């Protein structure tokens, strides 16, 4: 089954606080946007992805990302990551109550469509998740068709998602497991090969 994805983002100046110092301070917002742009470029090129809703703390600050074929909406009154995922999922389900809805992080600049496609295929309509390369966080959570997404992102989210019944996907999926929170993570994705937006910041 095809999936509809929810991707949340803070204002670029506020996002990715643990990456501060990876580039000059005035270029930090550009880095946050570049990570998201490369993530979305891969997502929108994935045949199994039908719609993408970007839930934004400040939609105007992310206007350039709307040009990538995603729908940008304002975050809900509850300004938390899980609330943003639930809000996007609710909007998607209004149009298709039986859809498979997914929650995807916006910091996967090495993402390849082939890994996302493999994850969707492996899930096979089950509620499932992809743990990050450290095995503790979650980069992608997929619902079963028409069933609750039930996001539990935050510290130890891989354990929390599995405890709530989501199936851990076992494929290698290197680009999908490689989110970027720290300078070490950034160095790692460079070895995989980042998309053009992130690459341009380091050339």
């Amino acid at each position: 089954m095809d999936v509809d994805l929810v991707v949340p983002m803070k204002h670029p100046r506020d996002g990715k606080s643990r990456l501060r110092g990876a580039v000059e301070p005035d270029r930090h917002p550009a880095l946050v946007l570049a990570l998201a742009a490369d993530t979305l470029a891969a997502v929108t090129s994935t045949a199994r992805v039908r719609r993408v809703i970007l839930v934004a703390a400040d939609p105007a600050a992310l206007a350039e990302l709307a040009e990538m074929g995603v729908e940008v909406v304002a975050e809900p009154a509850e300004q938390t990551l899980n609330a943003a995922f639930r809000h996007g999922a609710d909007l998607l389900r209004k149009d298709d109550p039986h859809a498979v809805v997914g929650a995807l992080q916006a910091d996967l600049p090495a993402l390849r469509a082939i890994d996302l496609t493999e994850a969707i295929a492996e899930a096979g309509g089950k509620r499932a998740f992809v743990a990050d390369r450290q095995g503790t966080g979650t980069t992608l959570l997929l619902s079963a068709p028409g069933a609750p997404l039930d996001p539990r992102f935050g510290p130890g989210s891989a354990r929390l998602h599995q405890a709530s019944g989501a199936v851990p996907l076992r494929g290698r999926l290197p680009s999908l497991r490689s989110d970027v929170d720290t300078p070490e993570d950034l160095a790692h994705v460079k070895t995989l090969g980042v998309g053009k937006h992130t690459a341009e910041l380091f050339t």
Side-chain angles (χ1 to χ4, degrees), residues 40 52-67 69-74:
L40 294 172
V52 181
I53 283 185
L54 185 66
V55 181
D58 184 344
L62 303 178
E64 65 188 76
L65 297 179
E67 300 173 5
V70 303
E71 305 162 49
V72 181
V73 302

Side-chain angles (χ1 to χ4, degrees), residues 33-132:
L33 282 171
L35 299 177
D38 286 329
T39 302
L40 294 172
V43 169
T44 56
S45 71
T46 302
R48 299 289 299 274
V49 175
R50 187 172 58 170
R51 292 177 65 189
V52 181
I53 283 185
L54 185 66
V55 181
D58 184 344
L62 303 178
E64 65 188 76
L65 297 179
E67 300 173 5
M68 304 187 73
V70 303
E71 305 162 49
V72 181
V73 302
E75 68 180 6
E78 181 186 341
Q79 298 173 355
T80 66
L81 181 60
N82 288 316
F85 281 129
R86 289 192 297 267
H87 179 60
D90 288 345
L91 292 174
L92 291 167
R93 284 276 169 71
K94 284 182 180 178
D95 292 332
D96 186 351
H98 305 293
V100 173
V101 173
L104 183 74
Q105 300 283 23
D107 57 353
L108 297 159
L111 183 61
R112 302 290 186 267
I114 189 171
D115 281 351
L116 184 53
T117 298
E118 182 181 336
I120 294 167
E122 185 186 342
K126 302 183 296 291
R127 182 164 176 267
F129 71 96
V130 175
D132 61 17

